[in-house]
Amino acid sequence: MNTITILLLLLGLHIAVTERIRPAIRSLAAQGILLGLLPFLAASGPAWRAAGLGLATVAVKSVAIPFILTRAVNRLEIGQESESLLSTKTLILLIGALTLAAFVACARFGLSGQDRLGAAAGLTLLFSGLLMMTTRVKAVSQVIGFVVLENGIFLFGAASGSEFTLPIELGIFLDLFVAVFLMGILMFKIQRTFTHMDVRKIHTLKD
């Protein structure tokens, strides 16, 4: 499980610092596959429950959401640069500081071993998602940040020993899918109305 956690963390860091949208979407899909393995590894109940949750995780996080984002990028002819309000160097320093803060915080909580690694990686993904949502210029990059944030919550919950409850997790996945789907529709509307996806220009609009 440690190997999966480290891979999830590395993919999250790649998504947070990359300046390209399509590689970020591919890393997001890879994260979905790895997250789909967690219910099998942490399963303490019936195998069918872990199988259902794992398949639902892969279907939503690795197939449906990347498909919606890729379709939005293709149809809206969004440029490949994700664009950030911060320089790449500043972004890397911030991500490094947030990663360090997450590991220190988990150590102070008394977590150890596998639990501390998983919880710290989850917190790092959560912080990275928040950072993307607040510093990325394009709406599609902010949606990717939202999904990374949710992936961090999922990983933190798995590492903290919370039991995977099938109905609750499926409800969360459905909410996430609906949220991304609505954001995709919103991006189409924004592009059609303003002919661009730069949220800085939208913020300057006045009545």
Side-chain angles (χ1 to χ4, degrees):
M1 188 162 175
N2 283 346
T3 303
I4 292 178
T5 302
I6 293 171
L7 289 175
L8 283 168
L9 178 60
L10 293 176
L11 287 169
L13 296 177
H14 171 256
I15 295 170
V17 301
T18 183
E19 298 178 349
R20 311 286 288 178
I21 292 177
R22 288 184 190 278
I25 294 176
R26 286 196 287 270
S27 293
L28 202 64
Q31 270 197 338
I33 294 174
L34 294 173
L35 287 173
L37 296 176
L38 291 182
F40 293 99
L41 299 175
S44 56
W48 63 266
R49 179 184 295 174
L53 187 53
L55 290 175
T57 303
V58 172
V60 173
K61 292 179 176 290
S62 183
V63 178
I65 291 176
F67 173 76
I68 292 173
L69 293 173
T70 302
R71 188 165 179 266
V73 170
N74 290 337
R75 291 196 59 181
L76 300 178
E77 298 179 351
I78 299 172
Q80 289 307 299
E81 299 297 330
S82 61
E83 297 186 47
S84 174
L85 298 174
L86 304 175
S87 67
T88 301
K89 288 183 180 178
T90 305
L91 205 55
I92 292 174
L93 288 175
L94 266 178
I95 292 293
L98 290 173
T99 303
L100 180 62
F103 276 87
V104 171
C106 289
R108 288 185 178 273
F109 290 156
L111 298 175
S112 60
Q114 179 175 300
D115 291 342
R116 182 166 66 181
L117 176 61
L123 277 180
T124 301
L125 293 183
L126 191 154
F127 293 153
S128 299
L130 280 174
L131 188 64
M132 289 185 68
M133 292 176 67
T134 53
T135 61
R136 295 294 177 169
V137 171
K138 293 180 178 174
V140 66
S141 298
Q142 295 178 346
V143 175
I144 293 173
F146 171 72
V147 180
V148 171
L149 182 152
E150 203 281 334
N151 287 348
I153 294 174
F154 187 99
L155 180 57
F156 184 84
S160 63
S162 301
E163 185 179 354
F164 288 101
T165 307
L166 184 60
I168 295 176
E169 294 293 346
L170 289 180
I172 293 173
F173 290 152
L174 182 60
D175 290 343
L176 176 65
F177 176 75
V178 171
V180 173
F181 185 72
L182 292 177
M183 288 177 185
I185 294 175
L186 182 61
M187 285 190 287
F188 280 105
K189 295 291 185 182
I190 292 174
Q191 177 77 1
R192 183 176 300 174
T193 304
F194 301 105
T195 68
H196 59 75
M197 293 296 296
D198 190 334
V199 296
R200 292 172 299 183
K201 297 178 182 177
I202 297 175
H203 290 161
T204 62
L205 294 178
K206 297 180 180 178
D207 295 332

